[in-house]
Amino acid sequence: MSIFIGGAWPYANGSLHLGRVASLLPGDVIARYFRLKGEEVLYVSGSDCHGTPISIQANKEGVSPKVITDRYHNEFVDCFHKMGFSYDLYTRTDHPFHHEVVQEIFNQLLDHGVLYKKAVEQTYCNDCDRFLPDRYVEGNCPHCDSAARGDQCDVCSALLDPLELHNRSCKLCNGSPLSRLSDHYFLSLLKFQNKLENFVDQADGWRENAIGLSRRYLREGLQDRAATRDLDWG
């Protein structure tokens, strides 16, 4: 039997702390267990070198995102080596091979009609002269009024669009962003509503909170989600 273990990919925008290492450790324990049983194991992970948090950190330091990702990826590799992690492959999302695979999957989804393009209103900061990805926008959740990012509310778990936030502000300059039309690709989640309802109903071995939250989203009705962002890095 072949065992594949896909470990979590830590964001390369800050040093590892004990909690992050603890969340990665179970994968290594499982990999060692199956190797001792004589099974063929492929245990992989890597540094997540793309996304908004890295761009935000780079903006704060006045450097390119690659400076940030190189710093923390090398730090992660050194840390895992010293701790004796047994990855068969530890890579990074800005590696050319990773780009190639992601683009291949994206094109397959596009060919099968799972992705589609449409013009949507996006938050735009006149002071920064740029479109703002969801995490560049902060404000108050329209559901519970808690402080929230433009992608979700950590208090009530609501998935959000930046334009839904009350008292919106730009994370970069604290200005008040407006809205402009921009072309984006969307993932057709609604097409999978029935299949996912059946899948969750047959869930075996899931934690109760995972089942409960999944059923909540399904009851509310799945919404198509943007699969692209107005972001140069990633």
Side-chain angles (χ1 to χ4, degrees), residues 94-114:
D94 56 359
H95 189 281
F97 178 73
H98 188 93
H99 286 182
E100 181 183 327
V101 173
V102 170
Q103 289 165 6
E104 182 182 335
I105 293 171
F106 191 95
N107 284 323
Q108 287 177 353
L109 294 174
L110 195 59
D111 291 341
H112 286 83
V114 180

Side-chain angles (χ1 to χ4, degrees), residues 29-233:
V29 172
I30 295 168
R32 290 172 182 273
Y33 168 76
F34 281 110
R35 289 193 192 107
L36 287 171
K37 289 186 67 180
E39 306 290 358
E40 182 181 357
V41 173
L42 178 61
Y43 175 34
V44 303
S45 185
S47 302
D48 190 341
C49 296
H50 288 113
T52 313
I54 289 162
S55 296
I56 291 173
Q57 185 66 28
N59 286 331
K60 285 181 180 177
E61 297 190 20
V63 298
S64 72
K66 192 173 187 308
V67 171
I68 302 295
T69 56
D70 284 349
R71 177 196 308 163
Y72 291 112
H73 171 75
N74 293 332
E75 185 180 297
F76 294 172
V77 170
D78 183 56
C79 176
F80 294 140
H81 175 72
K82 288 178 179 177
M83 294 186 68
F85 270 64
S86 61
Y87 291 119
D88 295 297
L89 174 66
Y90 187 86
T91 183
R92 48 193 293 169
T93 59
D94 56 359
H95 189 281
F97 178 73
H98 188 93
H99 286 182
E100 181 183 327
V101 173
V102 170
Q103 289 165 6
E104 182 182 335
I105 293 171
F106 191 95
N107 284 323
Q108 287 177 353
L109 294 174
L110 195 59
D111 291 341
H112 286 83
V114 180
L115 289 174
Y116 63 93
K117 185 164 71 171
K118 73 173 181 178
V120 292
E121 277 192 299
Q122 294 284 103
T123 45
Y124 186 89
C125 181
N126 276 330
D127 294 332
C128 296
D129 191 24
R130 61 179 294 173
F131 283 101
L132 299 176
D134 46 20
R135 291 197 183 192
Y136 275 56
V137 185
E138 297 178 332
N140 296 99
C141 174
H143 304 284
C144 70
D145 203 39
S146 301
R149 302 185 309 269
D151 59 341
Q152 73 174 56
C153 175
D154 290 335
V155 176
C156 71
S157 300
L159 297 177
L160 302 173
D161 183 279
L163 291 171
E164 294 181 272
L165 291 177
H166 298 161
N167 306 315
R168 293 191 301 273
S169 66
C170 170
K171 190 175 179 68
L172 299 176
C173 71
N174 293 320
S176 300
L178 307 173
S179 64
R180 286 190 184 180
L181 286 176
S182 178
D183 285 334
H184 279 278
Y185 286 95
F186 278 73
L187 181 65
S188 247
L189 282 178
L190 188 57
K191 286 186 176 181
F192 300 96
Q193 175 89 27
N194 292 335
K195 287 184 178 179
L196 288 173
E197 285 176 350
N198 293 333
F199 183 76
V200 173
D201 286 341
Q202 297 170 26
D204 183 32
W206 290 25
R207 292 181 179 178
E208 284 301 317
N209 64 331
I211 294 175
L213 197 57
S214 298
R215 284 181 173 157
R216 171 193 155 181
Y217 288 141
L218 289 164
R219 280 196 308 270
E220 292 173 353
L222 296 181
Q223 302 295 316
D224 294 351
R225 296 283 289 176
T228 55
R229 293 175 176 173
D230 290 300
L231 186 66
D232 292 334
W233 181 254

